[in-house]
Amino acid sequence: MAAQIPTEKGVLGYFQKLSNWGRWGPDDELGTPNLITPEKTKRALATVQEGVSVSLAREIVWDGAADVPSPPVHFMLESGEGWASGDKVSSRPNAAAIDYIGMVFHGVAVTHVDSLAHFFWQGLTYNGKPAHLVSTSMGATVCSVTAARHGFISRGVLVDVPMIRGTDWVERGEGVMPEDILAAEERCGFKVEEGDILLVRTGQLRRRNVEGPVARTAGSTACQAACLPFFHERGVAVMGSDTGNDVSPAQYSQVPQPIHQVGITAMGLWILDNANLEDVSEACRQRNRWEFMVSIGPLPLHNTTGSPVNPIAVF
Amino acid sequence: MAAQIPTEKGVLGYFQKLSNWGRWGPDDELGTPNLITPEKTKRALATVQEGVSVSLAREIVWDGAADVPSPPVHFMLESGEGWASGDKVSSRPNAAAIDYIGMVFHGVAVTHVDSLAHFFWQGLTYNGKPAHLVSTSMGATVCSVTAARHGFISRGVLVDVPMIRGTDWVERGEGVMPEDILAAEERCGFKVEEGDILLVRTGQLRRRNVEGPVARTAGSTACQAACLPFFHERGVAVMGSDTGNDVSPAQYSQVPQPIHQVGITAMGLWILDNANLEDVSEACRQRNRWEFMVSIGPLPLHNTTGSPVNPIAVF
Amino acid sequence: MAAQIPTEKGVLGYFQKLSNWGRWGPDDELGTPNLITPEKTKRALATVQEGVSVSLAREIVWDGAADVPSPPVHFMLESGEGWASGDKVSSRPNAAAIDYIGMVFHGVAVTHVDSLAHFFWQGLTYNGKPAHLVSTSMGATVCSVTAARHGFISRGVLVDVPMIRGTDWVERGEGVMPEDILAAEERCGFKVEEGDILLVRTGQLRRRNVEGPVARTAGSTACQAACLPFFHERGVAVMGSDTGNDVSPAQYSQVPQPIHQVGITAMGLWILDNANLEDVSEACRQRNRWEFMVSIGPLPLHNTTGSPVNPIAVF
Amino acid sequence: MAAQIPTEKGVLGYFQKLSNWGRWGPDDELGTPNLITPEKTKRALATVQEGVSVSLAREIVWDGAADVPSPPVHFMLESGEGWASGDKVSSRPNAAAIDYIGMVFHGVAVTHVDSLAHFFWQGLTYNGKPAHLVSTSMGATVCSVTAARHGFISRGVLVDVPMIRGTDWVERGEGVMPEDILAAEERCGFKVEEGDILLVRTGQLRRRNVEGPVARTAGSTACQAACLPFFHERGVAVMGSDTGNDVSPAQYSQVPQPIHQVGITAMGLWILDNANLEDVSEACRQRNRWEFMVSIGPLPLHNTTGSPVNPIAVF
């Protein structure tokens, strides 16, 4: 993997070179998932052999951690307590339990997709929409996650980088290169194709499971900016990994988060952050098969820049 | 539809008669979705002909309404404003927008599934678990929605009651009867089978779209308690509708919410509340086909009694 | 009360004429409460004769209403249930109850003070601070409510307009005029002085108590813009009423909320919204005395544009 | 300070010995603040010499810390951004900023008072009220903080333990003893009297300011259980300190939090947690005077077990 990372100038050039602005019309707010055609969905279904489902989501938990300073919250408006004894004071007539859940799903705790309203570049997001249309008061009046309301059902392919590299995990601060993906294609017998949901396992979640969480300042691995032309060329519809999807510490001063900055604003690429690829990588290894169907149903949250999701892989 | 509704004594008898306690082992927390076997999932995929996806979820909106006294909330922790001008004071280094979402998903505003910790009967829930294990402090320490973490991918069938009855919608306070479902089977050429996701459209959401929301005290239609033996006999894995899934005003004093009370606690039935069945009913009519694949990925919310979902139907 | 309301041009002139910019230094973020000198506080204490306290706050309740579409929220993280029986599953070692409270205190439900970061005029707030320093990400980096961390303890005077006018309440859409205040001075034997906390009772809260809440579109009474020069001339430190403190429907197209717009941005006036003046008006009537000590302790909420408060009057 | 701490049996005896149940009637929900009579309030006002106010509250901040795993939250529903440029998309007609604040005020981050519904002993709280009346669904249907809606205005006295002991702060795990208070009376020339607001400075907040936060497992100082009979005998109305008000690690296995457990449930004592006594101790030292007026206005939060407060001392 001696491949060289692109220069900052090179990465800055991606904003033009990899742009999908106008490709699906001037009003398009969906971007690369346009590549998941009905025909593509049908082919994805055809990869299923057994009907076995595997979640790609991390459990949403309520405790803070070194990398989760503002954890999601869960409150019970009513619980199961007291119903049995009859000593019960409740506004509800029937014995039921009710929850409140709240979360900032962006960050590195919750498996989620980013809509195309999540990042901006030079005051604009995907398809030239002005950033201020994602307003404090009204939220994402353009490029909301509701653009994906009918979900993404496509073929998933897993690039298991530690397996390819023969390591436990990719180091924080180091990037996954297109060469890793090409090696996975070679080793695993698939080819990333138009409309695919590309899942890149770095092992960083496994490391967290083994070593415990570390502060975000400790850095992160992710796909290196060099992967962006590969995504574009192959027509990746959704890319996801078991990290926050940008190498840190940043490798570029002007484009510190190239996967998000170029991917979202120029390419209209939907990004799946913080997926749990542990179970699916085990499932792939068992079957010696690295392609499967994936179903993602983002919540249709009005004017919102993404959604927590539980993507389901089916083998 | 002259069928008679069961007596309260009859409904009380369902708790024993329709019980699935122990059926999938003494520790089972999943209930009827156990009937979605890999084989069933495969058969569900085989119903897909075109690869066209249709969401079964209502948009999650932030405004209160007559039937939504406590609406979900959406706050922007950072927006797109100010980045273009440079007059920007932010804790974030890059131009991005970040949201907080919060909600009580139970109720009649949000499309969601109930886990088996949502209701209790005589101090217990499904499989004899004591209600107090769903605690105020720790939430659903049993029967959490995480039991469904690998999702439900099965065959969906749509019973479009207004179409069957030749009306616009079922009246509030009136129930959908098993005879409606049998008539739909006859009319639409399917048969509800083991492991199915049974969707019952009452038209009540359409009525809300047309006439506007009304207070919950105005009542609701839903499947009548008489449907419970049908669900049990046919082996329905998940049942959903475009309502809160219990007739109101209540038809029984001791069992005011029989679908939830018997369905969840005795049968271990997963219920999909407040689905949007408008688009899918149109899609069915266009194709003259009332079966399709459905994929539901409940968020794996730790110790939570359900989850908002965006179920995706695929034709 | 045949007094005429000022023209829009007149009100627009207030931004200059009533300006306190620079009056307490170029960095001042406190505004008119600078007039509550220690000497003034001492004089306020000297008005106390009996030591009887009366709250000026409305109870903070959790239900929505016609005028409260987004009510405050209250969740119990732990309750008293289950401790007695011993059937208790808790993350807490001791029998205690714990609450979460959350609220948008601005609006017309919660008694609160506005800090000088709450409104803007022509891109600026009090003392010429640029509006964008009150940012989405970081909040009120200037003119936060923490400017008032040491509280306001001063003399309160109550102008009981319905008593003065001989009515039950001032009509929605109609304003309280300086002539009302002058008449109260005459009738009640006080004179509004520098550093005072001026409380204007319109009876609108009583009307809500009697007739029930109405939508905000039904309008509101409040001090008319004509009172602003009076506030300025007399040196009012804090002004409050039992309303949201601006007449609606708006009487001026360019300055629809003059009390807030001129008061906050030009004068640096602290406004107390939605006070409960029912008990205090009764207390005043009983004693035939309309002056008393008032103590307000705004919560020192970092970078926040106001605070819920419970002002205490002492007779 | 060689005083001995009481045995566990002794502390268990306090529940009877120090009980105020029935003292102010069988329905009383207020407890010891009944001792703040109008006469007492008047005497408190008479201690004021200069009219200088000092806050006793810590700033409410939004960042987590080692001792704040679940920090309060602050979201801007509207900010000052965008108004100046005119590129503004807002649901609000006027240039204003709006906040949401939310918090679990119990814990060690927020200065707050506990109502008498906050703790339970043997299934009961103050005045024999059953714990289950503080319910998950409805909150504190007894002994809510609204019992204190008219506020506490009384004499405050500061026991500055580090000054008395000649140290920087009391060590974590060690208690403040009645002998410390007696020494302060001697040294500072006051006597704790009926209806007083007793403030005990341990220096622990100063230590946090100097050394940074430590996890709650590191322990805490506070008044030792031995102080409870002193509080009772002297008729303390409200006791507060710059800590969470119980020594930890716990010194008793059955009564791990005696100040809260005995104080609240048996005595009906209102406790002020996490006060900021740094400024007031400086103010006292400057004046060589350790008594002053204190005004506390708990928010009248419906059915809530306490309230964040900003107590104001006046010299």
Side-chain angles (χ1 to χ4, degrees):
Chain A
M1 295 307 122
Q4 252 189 298
I5 70 170
T7 62
E8 177 137 25
K9 199 178 155 194
V11 175
L12 285 166
Y14 294 166
F15 285 102
Q16 288 300 322
K17 212 178 305 180
L18 310 184
S19 172
N20 283 321
W21 291 15
R23 179 171 173 186
W24 297 286
D27 296 330
D28 181 58
E29 303 186 8
L30 183 57
T32 52
N34 280 295
L35 299 170
I36 308 177
T37 59
E39 191 53 40
K40 177 73 186 177
T41 296
K42 274 181 65 185
R43 283 204 306 274
L45 270 56
T47 66
V48 174
Q49 298 180 6
E50 305 151 59
V52 172
S53 295
V54 178
S55 167
L56 306 182
R58 293 171 57 173
E59 190 166 356
I60 297 175
V61 295
W62 319 114
D63 291 328
D67 51 355
V68 187
S70 300
V73 294
H74 178 225
F75 307 128
M76 299 304 290
L77 277 68
E78 182 53 283
S79 70
E81 294 176 322
W83 296 110
S85 72
D87 277 346
K88 187 66 186 175
V89 177
S90 179
S91 61
R92 294 168 206 284
N94 304 321
I98 313 280
D99 318 59
Y100 174 89
I101 56 167
M103 71 187 76
V104 179
F105 52 82
H106 290 300
V108 299
V110 175
T111 305
H112 69 271
V113 289
D114 297 338
S115 89
L116 305 183
H118 179 41
F119 264 75
F120 314 103
W121 182 255
Q122 295 179 335
L124 304 174
T125 186
Y126 171 68
N127 232 352
K129 304 295 181 194
H132 78 270
L133 299 183
V134 184
S135 84
T136 305
S137 164
M138 302 187 68
T141 65
V142 290
C143 294
S144 161
V145 71
T146 51
R149 68 162 59 84
H150 293 303
F152 305 142
I153 300 187
S154 192
R155 186 179 74 144
V157 290
L158 179 70
V159 172
D160 192 336
V161 183
M163 184 185 77
I164 297 299
R165 293 195 183 178
T167 57
D168 282 336
W169 43 67
V170 182
E171 290 299 318
R172 291 189 280 264
E174 190 188 344
V176 171
M177 299 299 286
E179 288 75 7
D180 291 297
I181 306 176
L182 295 169
E185 288 187 329
E186 177 96 2
R187 156 76 178 77
C188 299
F190 63 77
K191 198 164 173 342
V192 177
E193 288 169 5
E194 195 165 274
D196 275 349
I197 295 173
L198 173 63
L199 301 168
V200 178
R201 180 175 177 271
T202 69
Q204 190 164 285
L205 179 59
R206 185 185 163 206
R207 185 174 190 176
R208 188 185 192 272
N209 293 342
V210 169
E211 298 185 348
V214 294
R216 294 186 67 175
T217 48
S220 177
T221 183
C223 286
Q224 214 281 332
C227 296
L228 288 163
F230 177 91
F231 299 160
H232 189 61
E233 182 191 315
R234 296 293 185 93
V236 170
V238 178
M239 85 78 44
S241 82
D242 52 353
T243 76
N245 281 317
D246 263 305
V247 176
S248 81
Q251 299 176 313
Y252 304 100
S253 61
Q254 295 171 73
V255 202
Q257 293 185 259
I259 300 295
H260 283 80
Q261 291 173 304
V262 175
I264 290 175
T265 69
M267 297 169 62
L269 177 67
W270 282 63
I271 297 173
L272 171 68
D273 286 325
N274 318 311
N276 171 12
L277 303 178
E278 296 310 287
D279 293 346
V280 76
S281 82
E282 180 60 26
C284 287
R285 253 177 278 211
Q286 283 172 2
R287 292 164 175 84
N288 198 34
R289 179 153 54 93
W290 280 266
E291 64 164 353
F292 37 83
M293 176 195 132
V294 172
S295 173
I296 307 179
L299 300 177
L301 300 155
H302 185 70
N303 284 10
T304 303
T305 74
S307 173
V309 290
N310 183 1
I312 308 294
V314 191
F315 288 87
Chain B
M1 297 304 123
Q4 254 190 297
I5 70 169
T7 62
E8 177 136 26
K9 199 177 155 197
V11 176
L12 286 166
Y14 293 165
F15 285 103
Q16 289 300 324
K17 214 178 302 180
L18 309 184
S19 173
N20 284 319
W21 291 16
R23 178 172 174 185
W24 297 285
D27 295 331
D28 181 58
E29 303 186 8
L30 183 56
T32 53
N34 280 294
L35 299 170
I36 307 176
T37 60
E39 189 56 37
K40 176 73 186 178
T41 295
K42 275 181 64 184
R43 282 203 306 273
L45 270 57
T47 66
V48 173
Q49 297 180 5
E50 304 150 60
V52 172
S53 295
V54 178
S55 168
L56 307 182
R58 292 170 58 174
E59 189 165 357
I60 298 176
V61 296
W62 320 114
D63 290 328
D67 51 355
V68 188
S70 300
V73 294
H74 178 226
F75 307 129
M76 299 304 291
L77 277 69
E78 182 54 283
S79 70
E81 294 177 322
W83 296 108
S85 72
D87 275 347
K88 188 67 185 174
V89 177
S90 179
S91 61
R92 296 169 204 284
N94 304 321
I98 313 280
D99 318 59
Y100 174 88
I101 56 166
M103 71 186 76
V104 179
F105 52 82
H106 291 300
V108 299
V110 175
T111 305
H112 68 273
V113 289
D114 297 338
S115 88
L116 304 183
H118 179 40
F119 264 75
F120 314 104
W121 182 254
Q122 296 180 334
L124 303 174
T125 186
Y126 171 68
N127 232 350
K129 305 296 180 192
H132 78 269
L133 298 184
V134 183
S135 84
T136 306
S137 164
M138 302 187 67
T141 66
V142 291
C143 294
S144 162
V145 71
T146 52
R149 68 162 59 82
H150 294 303
F152 305 142
I153 300 186
S154 192
R155 185 179 74 145
V157 290
L158 179 70
V159 173
D160 193 335
V161 183
M163 184 185 77
I164 297 301
R165 293 194 184 179
T167 58
D168 283 335
W169 42 68
V170 183
E171 289 299 319
R172 291 189 281 265
E174 190 189 344
V176 171
M177 298 300 286
E179 288 75 7
D180 292 297
I181 307 176
L182 295 169
E185 288 187 330
E186 177 96 0
R187 156 75 177 78
C188 299
F190 62 77
K191 199 166 173 335
V192 178
E193 287 169 6
E194 194 164 274
D196 274 350
I197 296 172
L198 173 62
L199 302 168
V200 178
R201 180 175 176 272
T202 69
Q204 189 164 283
L205 179 59
R206 185 185 162 209
R207 185 175 189 175
R208 187 186 193 271
N209 293 342
V210 170
E211 298 185 348
V214 293
R216 292 187 68 174
T217 48
S220 179
T221 184
C223 286
Q224 214 281 332
C227 295
L228 288 163
F230 177 91
F231 299 160
H232 189 61
E233 181 191 315
R234 295 293 184 92
V236 169
V238 178
M239 85 78 43
S241 82
D242 53 354
T243 76
N245 280 318
D246 264 304
V247 176
S248 82
Q251 299 176 312
Y252 304 101
S253 61
Q254 295 171 73
V255 202
Q257 292 187 259
I259 300 296
H260 283 80
Q261 290 173 305
V262 175
I264 289 175
T265 71
M267 297 169 62
L269 177 68
W270 282 62
I271 298 173
L272 171 67
D273 287 325
N274 318 312
N276 171 13
L277 303 178
E278 297 309 286
D279 293 346
V280 77
S281 82
E282 181 61 25
C284 287
R285 253 176 279 211
Q286 284 172 0
R287 290 165 176 83
N288 197 33
R289 180 153 52 92
W290 280 266
E291 65 165 353
F292 37 84
M293 176 195 133
V294 172
S295 173
I296 307 178
L299 300 177
L301 299 157
H302 184 69
N303 284 11
T304 303
T305 73
S307 172
V309 290
N310 183 2
I312 307 293
V314 190
F315 287 86
Chain C
M1 295 309 122
Q4 254 190 296
I5 70 169
T7 62
E8 177 137 27
K9 198 177 156 195
V11 175
L12 286 166
Y14 292 166
F15 285 101
Q16 289 301 321
K17 214 178 303 179
L18 310 182
S19 172
N20 283 320
W21 291 16
R23 179 171 173 185
W24 297 284
D27 296 331
D28 180 57
E29 304 186 8
L30 183 57
T32 52
N34 281 294
L35 299 170
I36 307 176
T37 60
E39 191 54 39
K40 176 73 186 178
T41 296
K42 274 182 65 185
R43 284 204 306 273
L45 270 56
T47 66
V48 173
Q49 298 181 4
E50 306 150 58
V52 172
S53 296
V54 179
S55 167
L56 306 182
R58 293 171 57 174
E59 189 166 355
I60 297 176
V61 295
W62 320 114
D63 290 328
D67 51 355
V68 188
S70 300
V73 294
H74 178 226
F75 307 128
M76 300 303 290
L77 278 67
E78 183 53 283
S79 70
E81 294 176 322
W83 296 108
S85 71
D87 277 345
K88 188 67 185 174
V89 177
S90 180
S91 61
R92 295 168 206 284
N94 305 321
I98 313 280
D99 318 59
Y100 174 90
I101 56 166
M103 70 187 78
V104 179
F105 52 81
H106 290 301
V108 299
V110 174
T111 305
H112 69 271
V113 289
D114 297 338
S115 89
L116 305 183
H118 179 41
F119 264 75
F120 314 103
W121 182 255
Q122 296 179 336
L124 304 173
T125 186
Y126 171 68
N127 233 350
K129 305 295 180 192
H132 77 269
L133 298 184
V134 184
S135 85
T136 306
S137 164
M138 303 186 68
T141 66
V142 291
C143 294
S144 162
V145 71
T146 51
R149 68 161 60 84
H150 294 303
F152 305 141
I153 299 186
S154 192
R155 185 179 74 145
V157 290
L158 180 70
V159 173
D160 193 334
V161 183
M163 184 185 77
I164 297 301
R165 293 195 184 178
T167 58
D168 283 336
W169 42 69
V170 183
E171 290 299 318
R172 291 189 281 265
E174 190 188 344
V176 171
M177 298 300 285
E179 288 74 7
D180 292 296
I181 308 176
L182 295 169
E185 289 186 329
E186 178 96 1
R187 156 74 178 79
C188 299
F190 63 78
K191 199 168 172 340
V192 177
E193 287 169 6
E194 195 165 275
D196 274 350
I197 295 173
L198 173 62
L199 302 168
V200 178
R201 179 175 177 271
T202 69
Q204 189 165 284
L205 178 59
R206 186 187 161 208
R207 184 174 190 175
R208 188 186 193 270
N209 293 342
V210 170
E211 297 185 348
V214 293
R216 294 186 69 175
T217 48
S220 178
T221 183
C223 286
Q224 214 281 331
C227 296
L228 288 163
F230 177 91
F231 299 160
H232 189 61
E233 182 191 315
R234 296 293 185 92
V236 170
V238 178
M239 85 76 45
S241 82
D242 53 353
T243 76
N245 281 317
D246 262 305
V247 176
S248 81
Q251 299 176 311
Y252 305 100
S253 61
Q254 294 172 74
V255 202
Q257 294 186 258
I259 300 296
H260 283 80
Q261 290 173 304
V262 175
I264 290 175
T265 70
M267 297 169 62
L269 177 68
W270 282 62
I271 297 172
L272 171 67
D273 287 325
N274 318 311
N276 171 14
L277 303 177
E278 297 309 287
D279 294 346
V280 77
S281 82
E282 180 60 25
C284 287
R285 253 177 278 210
Q286 285 172 1
R287 290 164 177 84
N288 197 32
R289 181 155 50 94
W290 280 266
E291 65 165 352
F292 37 84
M293 175 196 133
V294 173
S295 173
I296 307 179
L299 300 177
L301 300 156
H302 184 69
N303 283 12
T304 302
T305 73
S307 172
V309 290
N310 182 2
I312 308 293
V314 191
F315 287 86
Chain D
M1 297 303 122
Q4 255 190 294
I5 70 169
T7 62
E8 177 137 26
K9 198 178 155 195
V11 176
L12 285 166
Y14 293 166
F15 285 102
Q16 288 300 322
K17 213 178 301 179
L18 310 183
S19 173
N20 283 321
W21 291 16
R23 179 172 173 185
W24 296 286
D27 295 330
D28 180 59
E29 304 186 8
L30 182 58
T32 53
N34 280 294
L35 300 169
I36 307 175
T37 59
E39 191 55 39
K40 176 72 187 179
T41 295
K42 274 181 65 184
R43 283 203 306 275
L45 269 57
T47 66
V48 174
Q49 298 181 5
E50 304 151 60
V52 171
S53 296
V54 178
S55 168
L56 306 181
R58 293 170 58 174
E59 189 166 356
I60 297 175
V61 295
W62 319 116
D63 290 329
D67 51 356
V68 188
S70 300
V73 294
H74 178 226
F75 307 127
M76 300 304 289
L77 277 68
E78 183 52 282
S79 70
E81 294 176 321
W83 297 108
S85 72
D87 277 345
K88 188 65 185 175
V89 176
S90 179
S91 60
R92 295 166 206 284
N94 305 320
I98 313 280
D99 317 59
Y100 174 90
I101 56 166
M103 70 187 76
V104 178
F105 52 82
H106 290 301
V108 299
V110 175
T111 305
H112 68 272
V113 290
D114 297 338
S115 88
L116 304 183
H118 179 40
F119 264 75
F120 314 103
W121 182 255
Q122 295 178 336
L124 304 174
T125 186
Y126 171 68
N127 232 353
K129 304 295 181 194
H132 78 270
L133 298 183
V134 184
S135 84
T136 306
S137 164
M138 302 188 67
T141 64
V142 290
C143 294
S144 162
V145 71
T146 51
R149 68 161 60 85
H150 294 303
F152 305 141
I153 300 188
S154 192
R155 185 180 74 143
V157 289
L158 179 71
V159 172
D160 192 335
V161 183
M163 184 184 77
I164 297 300
R165 293 193 184 179
T167 57
D168 283 336
W169 42 68
V170 183
E171 289 299 319
R172 291 189 281 264
E174 190 189 344
V176 171
M177 298 300 285
E179 288 75 8
D180 291 295
I181 307 175
L182 295 168
E185 288 187 329
E186 178 96 1
R187 157 75 178 77
C188 298
F190 63 78
K191 198 167 173 343
V192 177
E193 287 169 5
E194 195 164 275
D196 275 350
I197 295 172
L198 173 62
L199 301 168
V200 178
R201 180 175 177 272
T202 69
Q204 189 164 285
L205 178 61
R206 185 187 163 206
R207 185 174 189 176
R208 187 185 193 273
N209 293 342
V210 170
E211 297 186 348
V214 292
R216 294 187 67 174
T217 49
S220 178
T221 184
C223 285
Q224 213 281 330
C227 295
L228 288 163
F230 177 91
F231 299 160
H232 189 61
E233 182 190 314
R234 295 294 185 91
V236 170
V238 178
M239 85 78 45
S241 83
D242 53 353
T243 75
N245 280 318
D246 263 305
V247 176
S248 80
Q251 299 176 312
Y252 305 100
S253 61
Q254 295 171 73
V255 201
Q257 292 186 260
I259 300 297
H260 283 81
Q261 290 173 305
V262 175
I264 289 174
T265 69
M267 297 169 62
L269 177 68
W270 282 62
I271 297 172
L272 171 67
D273 287 325
N274 318 311
N276 170 14
L277 304 177
E278 297 310 287
D279 293 346
V280 78
S281 82
E282 181 60 25
C284 288
R285 253 176 278 211
Q286 284 172 1
R287 290 163 176 85
N288 197 34
R289 181 155 50 94
W290 280 266
E291 63 165 355
F292 37 84
M293 176 196 131
V294 173
S295 173
I296 307 179
L299 301 177
L301 299 157
H302 184 70
N303 284 10
T304 302
T305 74
S307 172
V309 290
N310 182 2
I312 307 294
V314 191
F315 287 87

